[in-house]
Amino acid sequence: MSPRTQVDVPTELAASHRKYFGDRGRGWVAALPELAADCLDRWGLRPDGPPMCGAVALVLPVLRTDGSPAVLKLQPVDEETCGEPIALRTWDGNGAVRLLEHDPDSGAMLLERLNADRSLAAVGDDLAAVQILSELLARLCTVPAPAELRHLADIAADMLDRVPSALTLLTDPSGRRLVEDCAGAVRELLTEPGDRLLHWDLHFYNVLAPHPSDQREPWLAIDPKPLAGDPGFELLPALHNRWDEVVASGDVSRAVRRRFDLMTEVLGLERQRALGWTLGRVLQNVLWDIENGDVTVHSGPDGTIVRALLGSS
Ligand SMILES: Nc1ncnc2c1ncn2[C@@H]1O[C@H](COP(=O)(O)OP(=O)(O)O)[C@@H](O)[C@H]1O
Ligand SMILES: [Mg+2]
């Protein structure tokens, strides 16, 4: 019998799991080398380069038995991650990375290998990157969501339930106004949550160029945390990305509105509805921050984006 491959867990991945998931994260990381070795055996894979990771997933470059490149992606199965294989299977390689194998018990996925060294963060001009991301989103969001995914209607209702207690923690009037504006916008849209397949996490680092061996599309989405809903809920990550370039433009409000206008135009979205769901997405971030003890939520990019889009200063 050949010896089992020893997979080293990157220290930053272990630290991130300790920070975000505590003891549960520690336990998952401790079992990770064994899980990785099991998957390599089961799918006949050979490691082919150093492990990669994001905040949550371990991603191992591998070769399959036929010599083709792929990556093994391992992450805990939870409410956010369990939809990834469902979405990737639904898109079936159209605008998104292909799912080659999936183990529902461990959540392990074998994915088509893309070019990890070239994401949209590397495209010279930030508006050109926003244009590419919008065109990709327009394609991904034309697909109706499969029934088993979580729904924006439920996420929105849950957010509104949490607003009153969040407001009791905010003493600063601008923070309270931000939460009230966002909650008001979501309340108006609650009966029209949409039914498209949303990626939810399409920021510049989650759009990669293909692997040199298969240039089937110029750019492909990875890492969805999918849900069913209105495409307006997808815009905020690309408004945040490369924020230093928004600031360096010298007119932050104008730069935010240019990105928003570009995205709504390419996606063919009704501006008011897209604005409402963007405020909804800000509310999701802000509630998360407040519940984690941050009561200065209005001072970051989210507050600036909302003011720019509502035309207030
Ligand atoms: N299919 C792939 N091909 C090549 N590299 C990948 C692939 N999927 C992920 N990666 C690399 O691994 C990193 C983390 O993967 P990702 O799916 O984004 O997980 P996380 O949820 O932790 O952000 C990516 O930023 C990218 O560098
Ligand atoms: Mg990622």
Side-chain angles (χ1 to χ4, degrees), residues 215-243:
Q215 303 276 325
R216 62 188 185 82
E217 293 207 26
W219 297 100
L220 291 157
I222 61 165
D223 199 16
K225 311 276 186 284
L227 70 152
D230 187 296
F233 205 57
E234 293 278 53
L235 309 185
L236 189 64
L239 296 175
H240 272 190
N241 274 169
R242 292 164 65 159
W243 186 248

Side-chain angles (χ1 to χ4, degrees), residues 1 14 29 36-37 40 49 56 80 104 111 113 132 137 153-154 193 195 219 258 290:
M1 223 171 75
V29 167
L40 294 174
V56 176
E80 274 198 353
L111 301 168
R113 176 112 55 101
I132 293 167
L137 263 183
D154 301 320
D195 65 355
W219 297 100
R258 268 187 86 180
I290 295 171

Side-chain angles (χ1 to χ4, degrees), residues 54-55 73 201 203 205-206 222-223 225:
K73 177 169 176 174
D201 201 19
H203 53 73
Y205 291 98
N206 278 344
I222 61 165
D223 199 16
K225 311 276 186 284

Side-chain angles (χ1 to χ4, degrees), residues 24-93:
R24 193 158 50 90
R26 253 181 259 270
W28 187 79
V29 167
L32 194 47
E34 182 79 18
L35 172 61
D38 284 349
C39 294
L40 294 174
D41 282 353
R42 173 209 288 226
W43 288 324
L45 308 171
R46 276 178 294 139
D48 183 37
M52 301 179 282
C53 67
V56 176
L58 178 70
V59 177
L60 296 175
V62 293
L63 293 175
R64 304 178 84 188
T65 41
D66 65 0
S68 61
V71 298
L72 176 64
K73 177 169 176 174
L74 303 172
Q75 61 190 359
V77 180
D78 61 25
E79 188 188 63
E80 274 198 353
T81 60
C82 68
E84 179 165 351
I86 302 170
L88 294 181
R89 208 172 282 129
T90 306
W91 285 316
D92 193 22

Side-chain angles (χ1 to χ4, degrees), residues 2-310:
S2 57
R4 303 243 300 170
T5 308
Q6 177 59 42
V7 172
D8 296 323
V9 179
T11 47
E12 67 269 32
L13 183 67
S16 157
H17 275 263
R18 276 198 303 277
K19 178 172 168 200
Y20 292 115
F21 308 114
D23 282 345
R24 193 158 50 90
R26 253 181 259 270
W28 187 79
V29 167
L32 194 47
E34 182 79 18
L35 172 61
D38 284 349
C39 294
L40 294 174
D41 282 353
R42 173 209 288 226
W43 288 324
L45 308 171
R46 276 178 294 139
D48 183 37
M52 301 179 282
C53 67
V56 176
L58 178 70
V59 177
L60 296 175
V62 293
L63 293 175
R64 304 178 84 188
T65 41
D66 65 0
S68 61
V71 298
L72 176 64
K73 177 169 176 174
L74 303 172
Q75 61 190 359
V77 180
D78 61 25
E79 188 188 63
E80 274 198 353
T81 60
C82 68
E84 179 165 351
I86 302 170
L88 294 181
R89 208 172 282 129
T90 306
W91 285 316
D92 193 22
N94 288 307
V97 67
R98 276 205 183 97
L99 178 67
L100 306 172
E101 301 277 1
H102 173 231
D103 170 35
D105 292 333
S106 64
M109 287 179 287
L110 187 66
L111 301 168
E112 162 191 25
R113 176 112 55 101
L114 306 179
N115 184 350
D117 294 327
R118 184 159 168 76
S119 77
L120 269 189
V123 169
D125 173 38
D126 70 314
L127 276 181
V130 172
Q131 170 89 27
I132 293 167
L133 184 137
S134 308
E135 287 168 4
L136 203 51
L137 263 183
R139 290 174 58 203
L140 298 174
C141 291
T142 52
V143 179
E148 60 265 53
L149 291 184
R150 49 198 189 132
H151 207 294
L152 180 55
D154 301 320
I155 291 170
D158 172 67
M159 289 197 290
L160 291 179
D161 286 346
R162 286 150 61 205
V163 162
S165 71
L167 282 173
T168 63
L169 297 172
L170 289 177
T171 46
D172 185 288
S174 52
R176 295 176 65 85
R177 197 170 63 234
L178 176 68
V179 170
E180 280 161 354
D181 284 347
C182 291
V186 171
R187 217 168 276 122
E188 282 187 21
L189 290 169
L190 212 49
T191 56
E192 304 167 59
D195 65 355
R196 301 293 94 184
L197 173 51
L198 307 186
H199 181 291
W200 188 83
D201 201 19
L202 203 65
H203 53 73
F204 290 174
Y205 291 98
N206 278 344
V207 180
L208 299 184
H211 189 262
S213 66
D214 184 0
Q215 303 276 325
R216 62 188 185 82
E217 293 207 26
W219 297 100
L220 291 157
I222 61 165
D223 199 16
K225 311 276 186 284
L227 70 152
D230 187 296
F233 205 57
E234 293 278 53
L235 309 185
L236 189 64
L239 296 175
H240 272 190
N241 274 169
R242 292 164 65 159
W243 186 248
D244 48 341
E245 288 167 61
V246 173
V247 173
S249 73
D251 187 341
V252 171
S253 294
R254 187 162 167 272
V256 168
R257 284 196 296 267
R258 268 187 86 180
R259 284 191 183 185
F260 183 78
D261 291 347
L262 176 60
M263 296 187 89
T264 49
E265 197 184 306
V266 173
L267 279 143
L269 300 181
E270 194 214 316
R271 210 172 179 288
Q272 203 54 31
R273 183 189 304 269
L275 171 61
W277 282 123
T278 300
L279 266 58
R281 192 60 190 268
V282 169
L283 184 62
Q284 197 176 37
N285 286 347
V286 163
L287 288 172
W288 198 79
D289 286 345
I290 295 171
E291 286 158 13
N292 284 296
D294 180 2
V295 291
T296 60
V297 287
H298 56 285
S299 56
D302 277 347
T304 308
I305 288 169
V306 169
R307 285 191 296 277
L309 296 180
L310 290 177

